Amino acid sequence: MKSIDIVKFVASLWVVALHAQPLANYPLSNFIVIDTLGQLAVPFFFIASAYFFFRKPADASRVGHYLQRMGLLYAFWFCVTLPITILHAFIEPQEPFGVRLFCFVRGSLFDSSFHGSWFLMALIQAVPLCWWLSHRMSNRALLWLGVAIFLFTEAMSPHYAHLFAPFSFLFRHERTASFWSFVVYALTGGWARAFIYVVMGRWLAQKSVENEQKRSPLFIEWPLLLLLLASVAEATYKFVQPVRLQYFFALAPVITLLLFCTLLRHEIKLNFPNVRLRQWSTLFYFSHFIYVFIFTDLFPMAPEVKYPLVLALCAMTSEAIIRLSSRPHFSWLKWAY
């Protein structure tokens, strides 16, 4: 599985680039290299996380252990980034405190409380849900459900807001707006955006275990073919009526699925330990938000300098955390990755 770990680490570098924007002064290159390809990084993380979880038989105790591990990871980085979270959630906004608190609680439950936390919250909710549903429906039905949820969340995105314009009256009054915004977050939050990738990861895990001996090709199920058609339709729509082309939502699951299938078939040879790559991927993902904040808001600098500097600091931070965590008094640092 070294191929997956290598690409996962490369994807973490792309996530850093998405936020550090090293090519901001070169719009076309930034659009192609960073904004377009970078949209595939987090979907790849979701598929990889689900794949490794579902490769082994999962029972309630294993799900509980997974939730504990994700919870500790969430708690560690929530505490580390708390000053930045307070600044962005409570100090900078001009709304009344009640509104700020409502938005923070709503985001914490269904999206994001601190930078990058939506990824963890999505896994905490989507993986157990996928595991629970897998005991109550067939694999194909679960894939259909994943595609349906994905298409719904895509339709609810701002890029397709015109589809729901007739329902805008629900947001005209303050009380109903708060209620319906909470409902929309609950239905389209991080778990909903991650669910299709978690389902794909589980499906790939099952298929790869079944085909490990005979090495037969993966059969693409009908729900995934529908998703492919949806991606083609979306690409055609955006070509005819141009919008922000880097947000090809329907193309992301198709491309990441094909990439993952390719990696399962072809091993990338690199003389570097898998475990360290996995640890770096997680630590780079969470630590870079701190450094991007420092060099964007506190000490602004040119994007061409900011990106390599952030990467260097992430590397030093990651190595320091990993090495310190091996010492008895600092073993709690393992919660960071």
Side-chain angles (χ1 to χ4, degrees), residues 61-224:
S61 62
R62 190 157 181 267
V63 173
H65 180 267
Y66 178 82
L67 291 178
Q68 181 184 27
R69 186 167 64 87
M70 292 292 105
L72 289 174
L73 186 61
Y74 187 100
F76 180 92
W77 289 106
F78 177 84
C79 293
V80 169
T81 61
L82 187 58
I84 301 175
T85 301
I86 293 174
L87 175 67
H88 290 326
F90 294 102
I91 297 177
E92 288 182 341
Q94 301 299 314
E95 293 86 358
F97 178 79
V99 175
R100 285 176 278 172
L101 182 61
F102 169 80
C103 292
F104 178 74
V105 172
R106 182 188 63 181
S108 299
L109 291 175
F110 303 113
D111 191 41
S112 179
S113 59
F114 62 92
H115 287 305
S117 64
W118 83 273
F119 170 73
L120 284 178
M121 186 54 65
L123 285 176
I124 287 172
Q125 295 173 349
V127 169
L129 178 61
C130 181
W131 170 79
W132 184 79
L133 289 173
S134 67
H135 291 80
R136 288 159 178 80
M137 59 176 61
S138 66
N139 291 336
R140 183 168 292 182
L142 192 57
L143 280 171
W144 277 117
L145 178 63
V147 171
I149 291 174
F150 173 80
L151 294 177
F152 173 75
T153 55
E154 181 181 351
M156 291 288 285
S157 71
H159 302 280
Y160 299 95
H162 60 278
L163 297 176
F164 293 87
F167 302 97
S168 61
F169 70 92
L170 295 172
F171 296 88
R172 288 176 186 168
H173 302 289
E174 186 176 343
R175 291 182 181 178
T176 55
S178 297
F179 172 76
W180 283 110
S181 68
F182 197 88
V183 171
V184 169
Y185 257 72
L187 294 176
T188 63
W191 75 269
R193 286 178 282 162
F195 191 72
I196 182 62
Y197 302 109
V198 171
V199 170
M200 283 180 174
R202 179 185 175 275
W203 175 75
L204 285 169
Q206 281 201 326
K207 290 296 181 182
S208 62
V209 169
E210 292 173 5
N211 299 335
E212 238 166 23
Q213 301 301 324
K214 46 188 178 182
R215 304 292 291 176
S216 59
L218 288 170
F219 173 72
I220 301 298
E221 299 278 357
W222 282 107
L224 301 179

Side-chain angles (χ1 to χ4, degrees), residues 87 292-300:
L87 175 67
V292 169
F293 167 77
I294 291 173
F295 298 122
T296 301
D297 294 358
L298 300 183
F299 306 102

Side-chain angles (χ1 to χ4, degrees), residues 4-20:
I4 296 173
D5 291 325
I6 292 171
V7 175
K8 189 177 177 183
F9 176 67
V10 172
S12 71
L13 301 182
W14 240 294
V15 172
V16 179
L18 273 173
H19 299 113

Side-chain angles (χ1 to χ4, degrees), residues 315-335:
M316 289 189 288
T317 302
S318 301
E319 274 302 295
I321 290 175
I322 292 169
R323 295 188 183 192
L324 280 173
S325 66
S326 62
R327 300 182 180 182
H329 296 297
F330 294 96
S331 58
W332 52 272
L333 284 173
K334 291 180 180 178
W335 297 355

